[in-house]
Amino acid sequence: MPTHPDLIPTRLNTRDFLQRHIQVLEDLLGPDWFKAHPQRTASPPSHPALNSWRFLRYVAGRRGRLRSPLEAAFLLFALLDNTHVVACSDGDVARLRVGGYGRYGKAAAVAKMKKRLRDPKQFASQMTEFAIASHFGDRADVIPITTKSSADLRVNFPDHGVPLIIECKTLQQGTGPDRCERIVKKANLQIKGTDEPAYGMLVVDMRETGMAFTPRHINEPPPPVRAVALECERLLNRELCCSVSAALIVWNRCHFLGQPKPGGKSLVFLERRSILIPHRHARTPLLLDFYSTEIAFTTMIQVSWADTRG
């Protein structure tokens, strides 16, 4: 499984590396947005971006020393999201410099993206869109869709006449399989609204709700992911919602090389995994190569654990 290289600081010390990631968030939303936010000191803040910004500043102030495995997982999650932002902005991923979003889309797409980022209810979905656009962007032309009530992304693969239309949905904490039918039906309408022959893909983002801390040798998805996958499979076995050619369920798992202990160091691995569930009666059956759509990669970083003894 490939290792995502972008999170490993090679020429930067820990504080400067984290400061670069803080700068990515400030470039994304503006430094004044964070400093003037009414919930800047709330615990916890209502906006996910504010939560990430505060956490990265906290870790930078501790020179990268973490207190718990949960902090390590949250750190990797935030850093990985930032690399997707930089990639979609046509920026410099190696130096963590945000670009001008020229490759991401026209002015209308950038305006829509920034509006969603400032909305705490839409922020996670926009970050999912960045992650998916980054995943396909190296081998296809990814175009954000700005039409109201339509899907999120259009992916044009070279030498392939049928585009892939993607709608991203995020399952927040506290939601589960009971919401699947609603999001499948809504995604079907949004994909159908593009009104062209196309593959349709529903991406169900469970990166937070499906986060699992498991030993490296265990590859099974965690119970929340399995439950959603079974429900999506049930729904896509029917002759309904046929504009959805497949559902892609995405989740994270985290494990450690070197057990976390006060004053010690560990390599922390964040693995992003997915399950592809085809629709048995799809209007346009998904014929793309399986490995073109499946998400599977590993990223890692070395962390130091705070010495809490005494």
Side-chain angles (χ1 to χ4, degrees):
M1 208 60 69
T3 297
H4 202 292
D6 303 325
L7 303 187
I8 304 173
T10 53
R11 297 186 179 91
L12 298 174
N13 62 43
T14 299
R15 179 177 284 181
D16 288 346
F17 172 69
L18 291 169
Q19 190 57 50
R20 289 279 181 92
H21 277 279
I22 293 166
Q23 188 64 50
V24 169
L25 286 174
E26 292 183 350
D27 288 344
L28 187 64
L29 288 160
D32 292 340
W33 184 88
F34 289 98
K35 293 171 184 175
H37 198 284
Q39 288 206 331
R40 182 173 179 268
T41 59
S43 183
S46 63
H47 200 292
L50 191 58
N51 196 31
S52 295
W53 181 78
R54 280 173 42 178
F55 177 74
L56 289 172
R57 284 164 57 91
Y58 157 78
V59 176
R62 298 181 58 83
R63 296 184 180 274
R65 292 179 177 85
L66 304 176
R67 293 180 178 272
S68 70
L70 191 61
E71 284 191 350
F74 188 83
L75 175 63
L76 269 173
F77 196 122
L79 301 186
L80 187 54
D81 271 355
N82 280 350
T83 63
H84 295 321
V85 169
V86 174
C88 288
S89 74
D90 203 18
D92 187 334
V93 175
R95 292 182 173 85
L96 290 171
R97 302 295 191 193
V98 175
Y101 297 97
R103 191 174 64 169
Y104 189 70
K106 297 181 180 179
V110 175
K112 177 186 174 184
M113 173 265 291
K114 291 191 174 182
K115 181 180 178 181
R116 293 179 72 192
L117 287 171
R118 287 177 168 81
D119 184 345
K121 294 181 180 179
Q122 297 189 72
F123 179 84
S125 292
Q126 181 60 53
M127 298 306 284
T128 301
E129 184 179 312
F130 281 145
I132 300 302
S134 178
H135 172 69
F136 286 107
D138 289 338
R139 56 188 182 278
D141 186 19
V142 181
I143 304 169
I145 300 171
T146 57
T147 309
K148 190 175 181 180
S149 301
S150 289
D152 292 320
L153 298 169
R154 176 191 172 106
V155 182
N156 297 321
F157 290 94
D159 304 320
H160 206 290
V162 180
L164 175 65
I165 304 298
I166 299 176
E167 172 59 23
C168 302
K169 302 292 185 187
T170 303
L171 285 186
Q172 304 282 12
Q173 293 289 352
T175 59
D178 55 326
R179 188 168 174 248
C180 288
E181 185 164 4
R182 185 159 67 91
I183 65 175
V184 167
K185 287 181 177 179
K186 186 172 182 181
N188 183 71
L189 290 173
Q190 290 170 298
I191 293 167
K192 190 176 181 180
T194 57
D195 198 26
E196 62 176 318
Y199 303 119
M201 177 177 286
L202 164 63
V203 175
V204 182
D205 184 355
M206 297 188 68
R207 293 178 300 158
E208 291 187 22
T209 53
M211 170 68 79
F213 291 89
T214 55
R216 192 170 190 177
H217 65 277
I218 297 178
N219 292 317
E220 289 295 316
V225 175
R226 288 202 300 270
V228 168
L230 285 171
E231 179 61 10
C232 284
E233 187 173 18
R234 183 186 72 82
L235 293 167
L236 297 182
N237 276 338
R238 306 183 301 181
E239 295 186 30
L240 298 170
C241 299
C242 297
S243 291
V244 179
S245 305
L248 186 72
I249 302 170
V250 183
W251 79 93
N252 289 335
R253 63 187 294 259
C254 189
H255 61 88
F256 302 89
L257 183 60
Q259 287 301 309
K261 60 182 180 179
K265 292 185 178 182
S266 301
L267 283 177
V268 184
F269 296 83
L270 184 73
E271 299 181 358
R272 187 151 291 171
R273 297 289 180 263
S274 63
I275 301 174
L276 185 70
I277 303 171
H279 197 311
R280 290 183 180 271
H281 307 282
R283 185 170 289 109
T284 308
L286 191 66
L287 300 178
L288 291 171
D289 186 282
F290 176 80
Y291 295 102
S292 295
T293 52
E294 188 84 345
I295 295 175
F297 67 82
T298 301
T299 189
M300 70 171 187
I301 195 169
Q302 185 181 64
V303 303
S304 299
W305 303 103
D307 192 344
T308 58
R309 294 169 295 188

